[in-house]
Structure formats: C-alpha cells, structure tokens
C-alpha cells in the first residue's frame, strides 16, 4: 500500500517535471512567435495546394466527356492552375523548412550558450562530482536530439493534422457516405500508427543506444590498449565487445522486423480504404450521386488520408524523447551557481602575500566531518610545504585557498583582507598554479605559454621558457615554438608538458604560488631539473607546495604534516626529524 502511494507520488512528480519541461520549451518557442505564425501559414498553403490538385484533376477528367466532346479550353486552364498550385506548394514548403530550421537552431543556440556559460559559473564541486562524459553528452547530444525532435514536430505535426482535417472536409463535401466510410476505417490507421510505428521507433532508439555502447567499448580498448595487453585481458574485452555486438544485432533485427511490417500494414489499410471508397463511390456514380472526376479526386484523398498518422506518431515519440533530453540540458542551466561576489568585495592590487587561515572547518560530505580547526599562517615570501599520505587533505587545502570550495566555517585573510571581501577572480588570479595534471590547449607551443599573458611577444615567451628550462626541448622540436600540439600535449613527455606549464606561470608570475604534486609523475632526474625552475619561480613568493617526495621540500620555511584532515605536526625539516613523530616516520620510510 505504502509502496503504491510512493510510486504514485513518484509518477506525479515525474509528470509534473515533464510538464514543466514542456512549458519551458514553449516559453522558449514563444520568442519566435512571428516566425511560427509564418510557418503555420506556409503549412496551410502547402497542404491546401497539395489537396486542391486532386479536385482540379477531377474537373479535368469531367471535362473529357467522350471522343470529340472534350472541353480543351477548360482543360488547358486546369493544367495551368495545377502547375501554379504545384509551384506554390514547392515554394511554400521550401520557405517553411527554412523558417523551421531558423527557429530550431536559434533556440538551440540560446540553450547551448546558456548551458555552456553556466558551466563556468558552477562551483568546482559540481564539475568534480559529475561525470564529464555526461556533461559533454548533455551539451552536445541532448541538444541535438532536442533539435531533431523540434524540427520534426514543426514540419510534420502541423502539416499532418492539417492534411487529415482538410482531406476529411473535402471528402465529406463530395459525399457524406464516403466520408463516413473513411472515418469508420480510421481506427485501423491508428493501430498501425500508434502501435507498429511506435514500436519501430523504440527499437531504432535502442539500436542507437547499443551503437553508442559499442563505440564506448572500442574507445576504451583504444585508450587502454597498453593496459589491456599488459594485463592480458584481450579475451575479456573481446567478450564484452561480442555481447555488445549481440545486443546490437537483436535490437537491429527487432527494429527491422517492425519497420518491415509497417509498410505492408499501411499499404493494406490504404488499399482497404481505397477499395471501400472505390466501391461506395462507383455505386454512387451509377446512381448519379457524383461524377467520375469527383470519384477520382476522392480516391486520391483516400490515399493521402492515412499517411499522416504514421508521421504524427513518429513525431510524438520523437518529441517525448526530446523533452527528456531538454530536461537534462535544463538541469545544467538550473544548477546553483557560485554565489556572486559581495557588493563590497575588492580587487587585490599589489599583493604582498600574507595568507592566514583561521579556525577553518570543511567537509565535502556534510554528514562526515573532515577538516577541523585548521590554522595556517604564511608570511610574505614564505614557502609552506604540505605533506602527508594520499587522501589526507592536501589538495583540499589548496581548494580552500583558491576558494574552489567554500569553507564551512572559519576565515581566510590575504594581506589582512578577509577573503570574503575579495573578488573571486582577483583572489584566484593572485596565485600561479602548477598541478600534477598538466592542462594544455590545442594550438602552438607559443600560444600555450602565452595563455597567462595574452599578447606577450616571442622574446618574452622565450625568456620565460628559458627560465623554466623548457627552451632546450622546445628548440629541438622541428617547428620550435610554432610546433602545434593537441590538448593532450601530443607526443610531449609528461615532464615536457610540465615544463610548458611552468613556463606559462613564469611568463606572468603572480605574487603567490601553488604547486600541487607538480613533479610527482616525473623521474628523479627531470624532477631535479624542474626543481631548479621551481626554486627560481618561488624566489620571494609566498608558496604552497604539496610534495610527495619529501627530499624536494626539506628547505621549506614551514612544513605542515597532515593526517586524516588534520595538521598533526608543523615546523622546519630538522625540527620535525628531531620530534621523531609522524614526519620522521614518513621521511625514514622514503630515505631511511
Ligand atoms: N570533490 C570531492 N568530493 C568528495 N570528496 C572528495 C572530493 N575531493 C576529495 N575528496 C576526498 O577528500 C579526501 C581528501 O582528498 P585530497 O585533499 O584530494 O587528498 P590529498 O591529500 O591526496 O590531496 C579524500 O578522502 C578524497 O576522497
Ligand atoms: Mg592531492
């Protein structure tokens, strides 16, 4: 009983969310109401022109009465009318398509830009906790699906409904009896349209999902080829591929089965309607109820009448799908943004680099406390090292320093100014950051370095690269600074990518620095080289350095030793060793 109430509630909520999404799509469409009005007028013109042709053909037939008794004058006039109607139909159809595409793509552009710019205003926490694939999917594929649905809806829905209504009116005008017969057979068309056509649609959708799954397997295989070979899991991934392949085969066969019966079933119904109209019509012609030309017209209406049913049902299925896709895109647009800067927030001008964290508490999961009672004081130009086992909260402290995450309580001061009163961009801009994961964009080496200082000249760039010890390898590249790399750095080694990122920070050195495991993935030789670059970079700059290999931070002014979210020891290297506590344990485990 309770379960039923729960599912009912769930359904209600789902339905109201669905309706809200539809309402929202309509509101977006409302912006284009003039274009819509034009599109509907054009749809009326298309359908009316199409349906008038049989009437004229009927009249043409009636003007050919017997040999020697043909009204040529009327016949030529009718042929002329038909040509004009076909021309109107073609032009209107073209204009309608153009307008519909304009509406759909303008709407989508709006939605996409809104979602994309929203992404940049979301807390880092949202991006961290949402699968990147799903975000990309929502911005690209879901928006595409929405456009397909909308376009299909605009083009086929109006014309379909109009065709059905106008055809019926025209048939009834000629003969009420035939009209009744056609209406009587309508449920048959409905069955085909709403059962078979819908099933076909569902299976085709399944088929494309299976195709995407298969693409995923292939992608995983290509990206992880070395791992797969190393672990000898070739046969396992082959089995995964085979099962994905089998699923694809099944859904493709199902889709094709239903698609194959749609056509014969539709034909069968069309033929039935045609035969019925033919028989009833012939009887009525004999009795003098209508002319042969009228019968010809009514017969061609009978053929056109049942066609739109299939189209409309396909539109419905596609639209339902579109609404689901739209709701996924809207969910990004509706995410809570990072709160705006306070009115009173200031821009940091000349930072001297005095950073204080006072009584800070923070947790990612509000039910599980993590960092408590955190106090750090970094004087101007001091080097603060943060060490501790994986997962102890080193990166979390960096996240708090950059305000990527907001602390739950406590305060942070930069040069005595409360961080809440500093503009976010200005705070983040006061730090130069080098992380373990390098971030490059597709473009030339030159462009990648110049990112920190747009418009920097080549001399400046080269100087920064020299200071970062990156000039050596760049000069050895075939195109030097103009070498184009992909966003993954192409064939550069991880050390070389790291050097590029350091050169970028070197080019425009802020007063404060953050290095989070920047050298952890490098070999010791490269690390030694980069350390020289770092030392140069950190000269007289307040720096927070997270390091895995303790040998790289022994000269730090303060070493913070962390464990499970807490700083358990702090001091200089020698002091900490003397303490004979956790730090000396860590140090001895590496170098003892
Ligand atoms: N975005 C996040 N959401 C939830 N938990 C997180 C998030 N980032 C890190 N954590 C968790 O917080 C703890 C500290 O992580 P982190 O500060 O990255 O450790 P590290 O000292 O290795 O840099 C870990 O247990 C980690 O799983
Ligand atoms: Mg970390």
């Amino acid at each position: 009983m309770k379960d039923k109430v729960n599912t009912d509630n769930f359904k209600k909520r789902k339905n109201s969310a669905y309706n809200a999404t539809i309402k929202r799509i309509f509101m977006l469409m409302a912006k284009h109401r003039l274009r819509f009005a034009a599109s509907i007028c054009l749809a009326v013109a298309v359908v009316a022109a199409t349906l008038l042709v049989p009437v004229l053909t009927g009249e043409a037939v009636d003007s050919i009465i017997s040999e020697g008794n043909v009204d040529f004058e009327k016949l030529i006039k009718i042929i002329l009318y038909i040509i004009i109607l076909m021309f109107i139909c073609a032009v209107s159809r073209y204009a309608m398509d153009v307008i519909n595409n304009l509406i759909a793509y303008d709407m989508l552009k709006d939605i996409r830009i809104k979602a994309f710019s929203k992404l940049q205003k979301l807390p880092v926490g949202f991006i961290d906790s949402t699968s990147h694939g799903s975000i990309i999917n929502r911005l690209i594929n879901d928006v595409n699906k929405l456009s397909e649905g909308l376009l299909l809806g605009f083009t086929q829905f109006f014309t379909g409904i109009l065709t059905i209504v106008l055809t019926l009116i025209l048939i009834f005008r000629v003969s009420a009896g035939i009209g009744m017969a056609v209406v009587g057979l309508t449920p048959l068309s409905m069955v085909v349209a709403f059962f078979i056509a819908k099933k076909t649609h569902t299976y085709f959708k399944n088929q494309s999902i299976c195709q995407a799954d298969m693409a995923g397997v292939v992608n995983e295989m290509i990206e992880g080829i070395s791992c797969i070979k190393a672990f000898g899991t070739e046969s396992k991934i082959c089995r995964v591929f085979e099962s994905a392949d089998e699923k694809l085969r099944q859904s493709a066969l199902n889709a094709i089965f239903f698609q194959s019966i749609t056509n014969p079933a539709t034909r069968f119904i069309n033929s039935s309607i045609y035969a019925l109209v033919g028989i009833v019509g012939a009887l009525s012609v004999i009795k003098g109820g209508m002319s042969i030309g009228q019968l010809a017209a009514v017969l061609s209406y009978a053929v056109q009448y049942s066609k739109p049913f299939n189209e409309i049902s396909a539109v419905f299925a596609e639209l339902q799908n579109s609404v689901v896709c739209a709701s996924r895109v809207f969910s990004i647009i509706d995410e809570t943004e990072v709160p705006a800067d306070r009115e009173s927030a200031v821009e940091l001008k000349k930072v001297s680099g005095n950073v204080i964290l006072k009584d800070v508490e923070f947790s990612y999961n509000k039910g599980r406390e993590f960092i408590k009672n955190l106090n750090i004081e970094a004087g101007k130009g001091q080097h603060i090292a943060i060490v501790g086992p994986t997962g102890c909260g080193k990166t979390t402290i960096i996240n708090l320093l950059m305000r990527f995450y907001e602390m739950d309580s406590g305060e942070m001061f930069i040069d005595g100014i409360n961080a809440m009163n500093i503009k976010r961009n200005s705070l983040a801009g006061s730090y130069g950051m080098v992380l373990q994961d390098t971030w490059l964009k597709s473009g030339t080496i030159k462009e990648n370095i110049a990112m920190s200082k747009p418009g920097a000249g080549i001399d400046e760039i080269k100087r920064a690269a020299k200071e970062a010890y990156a000039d050596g390898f760049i000069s050895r590249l075939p195109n030097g600074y103009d070498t184009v790399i992909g966003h993954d750095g192409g064939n550069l080694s991880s050390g070389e990518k790291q050097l590029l990122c350091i050169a970028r920070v070197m080019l425009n050195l802020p007063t404060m620095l953050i290095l989070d495991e920047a050298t952890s993935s490098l070999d010791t030789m490269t690390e030694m080289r980069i350390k020289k670059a770092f030392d140069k970079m950190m000269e007289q700059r307040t720096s927070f350095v997270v390091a895995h290999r303790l040998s790289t931070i022994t000269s730090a002014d303060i070493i913070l030793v962390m464990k499970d979210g807490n700083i358990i020891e702090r001091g200089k290297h020698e002091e900490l060793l003397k303490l004979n506590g956790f730090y000396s344990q860590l140090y001895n485990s590496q170098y003892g």
Side-chain angles (χ1 to χ4, degrees):
M1 177 66 199
K2 198 172 162 207
D3 274 356
K4 177 151 178 18
V5 173
N6 274 343
T7 31
D8 279 357
N9 274 342
F10 178 70
K11 268 191 199 151
K12 253 188 221 154
R13 244 182 300 143
K14 212 171 135 192
N15 267 341
S16 74
Y18 189 81
N19 291 341
T21 310
I22 293 181
K23 205 165 145 195
R24 207 151 153 190
I25 298 179
F26 271 113
M27 263 154 61
L28 285 171
M29 294 203 296
K31 257 202 203 161
H32 303 273
R33 48 183 171 272
L34 279 181
R35 284 175 175 173
F36 261 112
S39 171
I40 291 175
C41 291
L42 289 165
V44 173
V46 170
V47 175
T50 315
L51 293 182
L52 276 177
V53 172
V55 174
L56 291 173
T57 317
E59 282 185 19
V61 170
D62 286 342
S63 64
I64 308 169
I65 296 159
S66 63
E67 217 182 310
N69 189 2
V70 177
D71 187 347
F72 277 109
E73 208 176 304
K74 193 172 169 197
L75 204 55
I76 288 172
K77 229 195 216 160
I78 291 175
I79 291 173
L80 213 66
Y81 283 149
I82 291 182
I83 292 175
I84 292 172
L85 277 180
M86 303 247 253
F87 180 74
I88 292 177
C89 181
V91 172
S92 310
R93 170 116 245 163
Y94 169 76
M96 185 177 94
D97 281 351
V98 170
I99 291 181
N100 288 341
N101 274 289
L102 277 177
I103 302 176
Y105 287 104
D106 280 357
M107 263 175 77
L108 295 176
K109 193 177 147 206
D110 268 6
I111 296 180
R112 241 192 218 122
I113 287 179
K114 257 194 204 142
F116 187 78
S117 58
K118 182 71 181 212
L119 280 182
Q120 319 195 340
K121 292 183 204 142
L122 292 180
V124 177
F126 171 82
I127 312 275
D128 279 350
S129 58
T130 316
S131 129
H132 294 185
S134 123
I135 298 180
I136 296 171
N137 220 3
R138 283 190 254 180
L139 243 74
I140 309 292
N141 295 343
D142 284 342
V143 179
N144 277 346
K145 294 253 174 60
L146 176 61
S147 81
E148 279 166 23
L150 287 179
L151 266 178
L152 207 67
F154 300 158
T155 43
Q156 306 212 330
F157 192 70
F158 293 131
T159 47
I161 300 260
L162 274 172
T163 307
I164 292 174
V165 173
L166 284 182
T167 321
L168 269 186
I169 293 177
L170 287 169
I171 294 179
F172 267 99
R173 243 186 42 151
V174 176
S175 148
I178 295 181
M180 300 296 274
V182 169
V183 172
L185 280 180
T186 301
L188 264 185
S189 306
M190 298 259 207
V191 169
V192 173
F194 288 90
F195 177 70
I196 304 182
K198 204 166 170 187
K199 271 261 187 276
T200 315
H201 185 87
T202 315
Y203 282 118
F204 269 114
K205 209 165 77 189
N206 274 352
Q207 189 184 339
S208 60
I209 293 173
C210 289
Q211 268 163 358
D213 283 350
M214 258 177 88
V217 177
V218 175
N219 189 24
E220 201 180 310
M221 202 265 295
I222 294 172
E223 290 197 339
I225 189 77
S226 334
C227 248
I228 292 169
K229 281 195 192 300
F231 287 102
T233 50
E234 290 98 333
S235 60
K236 200 167 158 200
I237 195 148
C238 273
R239 277 201 301 280
V240 174
F241 189 76
E242 269 166 33
S243 97
D245 200 17
E246 171 58 23
K247 268 195 210 147
L248 177 62
R249 188 185 73 95
Q250 271 301 335
S251 58
L253 284 181
N254 281 335
I256 287 167
F257 169 74
F258 278 100
Q259 190 189 35
S260 315
I261 58 172
T262 312
N263 198 335
T266 313
R267 270 167 195 266
F268 172 74
I269 290 166
N270 280 356
S271 310
S272 310
I273 296 180
Y274 197 80
L276 191 76
V277 172
I279 293 168
V280 178
L283 290 175
S284 149
V285 169
I286 293 172
K287 280 193 198 142
M290 65 165 130
S291 68
I292 299 201
Q294 282 174 321
L295 176 60
V298 169
L299 275 176
S300 66
Y301 289 140
V303 175
Q304 281 181 21
Y305 171 73
S306 53
K307 255 196 230 152
F309 283 97
N310 287 353
E311 284 169 9
I312 292 175
S313 96
V315 168
F316 264 117
E318 194 69 40
L319 277 181
Q320 261 172 354
N321 193 13
S322 302
V323 173
V324 175
C325 291
S327 70
R328 281 198 290 255
V329 185
F330 289 152
S331 76
I332 289 192
I333 296 179
D334 295 342
E335 274 296 325
T336 328
E337 288 179 15
V338 171
D341 287 324
R342 284 183 185 171
E343 284 276 319
S344 55
V346 295
E347 200 88 41
L348 283 177
K349 292 260 163 51
K350 262 187 105 59
V351 186
S352 64
N354 188 303
V355 181
I356 295 175
L357 285 176
K358 200 162 162 248
D359 299 329
V360 172
E361 276 183 30
F362 172 78
S363 61
Y364 290 105
N365 178 341
K366 296 309 165 208
R368 222 186 71 220
E369 55 178 29
F370 184 45
I371 285 186
K372 321 176 274 293
N373 234 332
L374 177 77
N375 285 286
I376 298 178
E377 187 165 350
K380 175 175 186 287
Q382 273 192 327
H383 296 170
I384 316 291
I386 308 173
V387 302
T390 305
C392 68
K394 304 181 293 290
T395 300
T396 307
I397 292 190
I398 305 298
N399 284 337
L400 294 174
L401 284 172
M402 294 293 282
R403 279 186 76 192
F404 286 159
Y405 286 80
E406 288 300 343
M407 44 183 86
D408 300 330
S409 69
E411 285 167 312
M412 174 159 68
F413 297 92
I414 316 286
D415 291 352
I417 310 173
N418 190 325
M420 300 304 276
N421 287 328
I422 299 172
K423 291 198 171 132
R424 261 171 215 285
N425 283 345
S426 166
L427 174 75
S430 310
Y431 284 103
M433 251 186 141
V434 184
L435 308 177
Q436 180 171 7
D437 294 327
T438 50
W439 188 75
L440 300 169
K441 61 168 190 156
S442 21
T444 61
I445 299 245
K446 200 166 66 186
E447 285 163 358
N448 266 287
I449 299 179
M451 255 165 75
S452 61
K453 193 174 178 185
I458 185 69
D459 293 338
E460 261 181 297
I461 293 174
K462 278 192 179 159
R463 192 168 58 235
K466 278 200 181 106
E467 282 173 351
Y469 298 88
D471 181 62
F473 90 85
I474 298 175
S475 311
R476 281 194 297 275
L477 291 172
N479 290 323
Y481 285 83
D482 292 315
T483 308
V484 175
I485 53 171
H487 70 98
D488 57 354
N491 290 333
L492 298 182
S493 75
S494 41
E496 288 165 342
K497 285 190 258 180
Q498 199 59 276
L499 290 178
L500 276 190
C501 291
I502 300 170
R504 179 193 291 162
V505 178
M506 280 289 191
L507 178 62
N508 191 3
L509 263 181
T511 332
M512 304 189 289
L513 285 170
I514 286 175
L515 310 177
D516 189 353
E517 310 239 20
T519 56
S520 294
S521 58
L522 304 181
D523 60 278
T524 354
M525 282 293 283
T526 315
E527 187 176 34
M528 293 298 279
R529 275 226 316 272
I530 293 185
K531 189 170 177 342
K532 281 198 278 181
F534 279 157
D535 286 342
K536 185 161 223 160
M537 206 156 97
M538 286 164 35
E539 260 167 37
Q540 295 173 25
R541 291 196 157 73
T542 309
S543 313
F544 295 87
V545 183
V546 175
H548 207 66
R549 279 194 275 265
L550 300 185
S551 62
T552 52
I553 49 95
T554 48
S555 61
D557 295 304
I558 309 171
I559 299 173
L560 307 173
V561 187
M562 290 190 73
K563 197 180 170 197
D564 303 331
N566 293 311
I567 297 175
I568 53 168
E569 288 169 16
R570 69 175 82 201
K572 283 188 187 301
H573 175 68
E574 286 76 22
E575 296 165 8
L576 289 171
L577 279 186
K578 264 189 224 138
L579 241 148
N580 227 346
F582 191 59
Y583 179 81
S584 81
Q585 248 180 39
L586 277 179
Y587 192 78
N588 288 327
S589 70
Q590 285 182 4
Y591 308 100

